[in-house]
């Protein structure tokens, strides 16, 4: 039986989510903007899903805007904020953590074309914000927007958002939190409490791909990224992905009910794997010592190249990642590990294992055995 240990890249669609979606793929096919009964059925389903996603985050329903996924959510937050702030205005400055997902990093970098000063926030060796440097950056000049993710997709490192938010708001800036990896794994309302804008994605919580949310607090002004037919109060045009949204709602409801059991289960697997990895001479667990997601561990074994190990494990039927799915195969080491101060050689060795509630202790044993035998195979004669 193949083993799937890449739940931070994406998750299997929960059969209960599929059941909730199915009627909207085969049945009520109305356009939610239509006023007849077909349209109203679709509209009602969307609003019920909105309430479920809001509940997961401890948000108001009016704060939820549907998107095509967290890549769009992050782009919308950053570009929408920049456009509302005013193009080419003097003093426009934003900061983002050096370990952000490319959906934040690249969207933020694109603001340079809109006349913004864009800077990264350094992190320490454990992946947490480098506080003295961050404080100095906030003090030196006005800043309007700061992006710090709740939990990192590669290392699982969880930032201290309460502390970040306090300093960011004291500096007069707004805070964008990419909470894609936090959802369904840690308490999401604690993240939303600190943020002004927050991104979520359905396919990381056993929902469908291609649907996400940007949470926006009422005091935040955003210009639309997608202009169109006035959907989502005019800030995100386009006919809604009804079945996908219904699926996100169902997945959010399940995550709300089950996240704590999922966390307990996956943490036990993480600890089992980490004990085995620590027993290998010279192994490194990235973000060790920092608070981390219960389901995520990224590690390196000396003399092993991450991508080669990934392929060798794949041949034995075990799916892991060498970093973020997006960065895999680019031939570049993880920007997250480089930002944490690891060398390119060490970063090239990284393997990420991300568990889901469906994984078992027997599967972890299989991975540890595979690591052991592959390691022996690789040793020079
Ligand atoms: C932290 C983080 N942000 C954003 C994204 C992008 O989300 P989506 O696949 O919904 O565009 C991902 C997906 O890998 C992620 O892990």
């Amino acid at each position: 039986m193949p083993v799937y240990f890449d739940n931070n890249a994406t998750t299997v669609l929960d059969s209960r989510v599929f059941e909730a979606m199915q009627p909207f793929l085969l049945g009520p096919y109305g356009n939610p903007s239509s006023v007849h009964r077909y349209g109203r059925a679709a509209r009602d389903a969307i609003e019920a899903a909105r309430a479920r996603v809001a509940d997961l985050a401890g948000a108001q329903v009016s704060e939820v805007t549907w998107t095509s996924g967290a890549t769009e959510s992050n782009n919308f937050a950053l570009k929408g904020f920049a456009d509302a702030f005013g193009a080419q205005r003097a003093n426009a400055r934003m900061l983002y953590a050096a370990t952000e997902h490319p959906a934040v990093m690249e969207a933020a970098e694109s603001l340079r074309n809109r006349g913004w000063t864009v800077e990264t926030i350094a992190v320490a060796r454990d992946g947490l914000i480098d506080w003295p440097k961050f404080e100095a950056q906030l003090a030196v000049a006005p800043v309007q927007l700061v992006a710090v993710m709740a939990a990192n997709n590669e290392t699982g490192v969880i930032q201290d958002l309460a502390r970040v938010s306090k300093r960011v708001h004291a500096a007069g800036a707004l805070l964008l939190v990419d909470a894609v990896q936090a959802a369904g794994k840690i308490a999401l309302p604690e993240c939303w409490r600190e943020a002004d804008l927050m991104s979520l994605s359905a396919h990381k919580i056993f929902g469908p791909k291609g649907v996400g949310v940007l949470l926006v607090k009422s005091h935040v002004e955003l210009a639309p990224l997608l202009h169109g037919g006035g959907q989502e109060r005019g800030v995100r045009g386009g006919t809604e992905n009804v079945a996908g949204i219904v699926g996100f709602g169902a997945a959010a409801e399940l995550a709300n009910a089950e996240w704590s059991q999922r966390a307990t289960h996956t943490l036990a697997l993480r600890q089992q794997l980490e004990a085995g990895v620590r027993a290998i001479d010279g192994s490194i667990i990235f973000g060790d010592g920092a608070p981390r997601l219960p389901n995520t561990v990224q590690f390196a074994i000396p003399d092993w190249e991450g991508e080669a190990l990934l392929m060798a494990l794949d041949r034995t039927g075990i799916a892991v990642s060498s970093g973020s799915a997006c960065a895999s195969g680019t031939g570049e080491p993880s920007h997250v590990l480089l930002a944490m101060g690891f060398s390119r050689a060490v970063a090239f060795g990284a393997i990420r294992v991300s568990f889901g509630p469906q994984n078992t202790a027997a599967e972890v044993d299989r991975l540890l055995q595979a690591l052991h035998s592959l390691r022996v195979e690789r040793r020079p004669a």
Side-chain angles (χ1 to χ4, degrees):
M1 279 286 282
V3 175
Y4 186 73
F5 281 154
D6 202 12
N7 290 275
N8 284 10
T10 196
T11 55
V12 64
L13 189 74
D14 190 304
S15 58
R16 295 166 293 178
V17 172
F18 178 64
E19 270 169 37
M21 291 173 69
Q22 213 175 6
F24 293 90
L25 292 162
L26 301 170
Y29 48 80
N31 186 319
S33 298
S34 300
V35 291
H36 47 60
R37 68 188 59 208
Y38 294 83
R40 288 200 307 274
R43 167 65 48 211
D44 289 350
I46 286 179
E47 295 315 318
R50 198 188 303 275
R52 293 189 175 111
V53 174
D55 239 28
L56 175 65
Q60 307 289 321
V61 285
S62 58
E63 294 171 332
V64 177
T65 301
W66 303 114
T67 66
S68 63
T71 299
E72 183 188 327
S73 303
N74 287 327
N75 273 267
F76 178 24
L78 290 158
K79 295 172 187 171
F81 180 83
D83 286 352
F85 182 72
Q88 312 299 331
R89 227 162 99 176
N91 294 334
R93 180 168 174 253
M94 77 97 44
L95 314 176
Y96 69 91
T99 50
E100 291 296 307
H101 187 275
V104 165
M105 205 164 62
E106 310 237 333
E109 286 298 328
S110 81
L111 297 187
R112 291 182 196 279
N113 301 330
R114 288 166 157 86
W116 282 63
T117 301
V118 180
E119 294 167 27
T120 56
I121 304 163
V123 297
R125 189 94 170 160
D126 59 7
L128 291 169
I129 300 275
D130 183 325
W131 281 97
K133 285 189 186 153
F134 185 37
E135 303 258 354
Q137 240 172 337
L138 287 172
V140 74
V143 54
Q144 289 80 35
L145 186 60
V146 175
V148 175
M149 69 202 317
N152 186 264
N153 44 300
E154 293 188 32
T155 58
V157 167
I158 300 171
Q159 297 292 346
D160 182 349
L161 286 183
R163 189 172 173 192
V164 170
S165 138
K166 207 166 153 207
R167 288 298 297 112
V168 166
H169 290 135
L174 296 185
L175 179 62
L176 164 64
V177 171
D178 178 335
V180 166
Q181 296 293 345
K185 297 169 190 163
I186 59 176
L188 211 54
E190 288 175 24
C191 302
W192 181 230
R193 197 178 56 207
E194 307 302 341
D196 302 288
L197 293 149
M198 193 162 91
S199 306
L200 300 172
S201 180
H203 75 99
K204 310 287 184 174
I205 59 165
F206 308 94
K209 294 170 182 62
V211 56
V213 145
L214 181 66
L215 295 174
V216 187
K217 288 207 173 133
S218 60
H219 60 268
V220 184
E221 210 190 317
L222 293 185
L225 184 65
L226 299 183
H227 298 263
Q231 289 89 349
E232 297 298 281
R233 303 169 306 281
V235 292
R236 202 280 186 177
T239 302
E240 296 88 340
N241 170 7
V242 181
I245 287 171
V246 168
F248 196 175
E253 188 172 37
L254 292 170
N256 212 359
E258 297 175 6
W259 73 264
S260 153
Q261 290 140 265
R262 290 179 193 172
T264 307
H265 176 77
T266 54
L267 180 60
L269 300 179
R270 195 192 94 185
Q271 287 167 339
Q272 181 189 348
L273 176 59
E274 287 182 359
V277 167
R278 283 183 215 283
I280 301 171
D281 267 357
S283 63
I284 299 170
I285 292 178
F286 300 107
D288 211 3
R292 281 181 295 136
L293 290 175
N295 80 317
T296 309
V297 56
Q298 191 176 35
F299 61 92
I301 297 176
D303 304 333
W304 273 102
E305 209 257 306
E307 209 72 22
L309 182 51
L310 182 154
M311 296 312 292
L313 287 170
D314 188 42
R315 282 192 290 275
T316 73
I318 301 174
V320 299
S321 163
S322 61
S324 67
C326 318
S328 303
T330 59
E332 276 304 305
S334 147
H335 74 281
V336 173
L337 298 180
L338 297 183
M340 288 161 70
F342 292 96
S343 67
R344 287 174 67 86
V346 169
F348 269 127
I351 282 287
R352 177 190 71 185
V353 175
S354 47
F355 297 112
Q358 75 283 11
N359 292 127
T360 64
E363 290 177 340
V364 177
D365 276 339
R366 211 171 120 189
L367 171 59
L368 285 168
Q369 276 159 21
L371 285 178
H372 186 71
S373 58
L374 292 169
R375 202 167 102 87
V376 171
E377 246 171 51
R378 169 83 194 277
R379 283 227 165 116

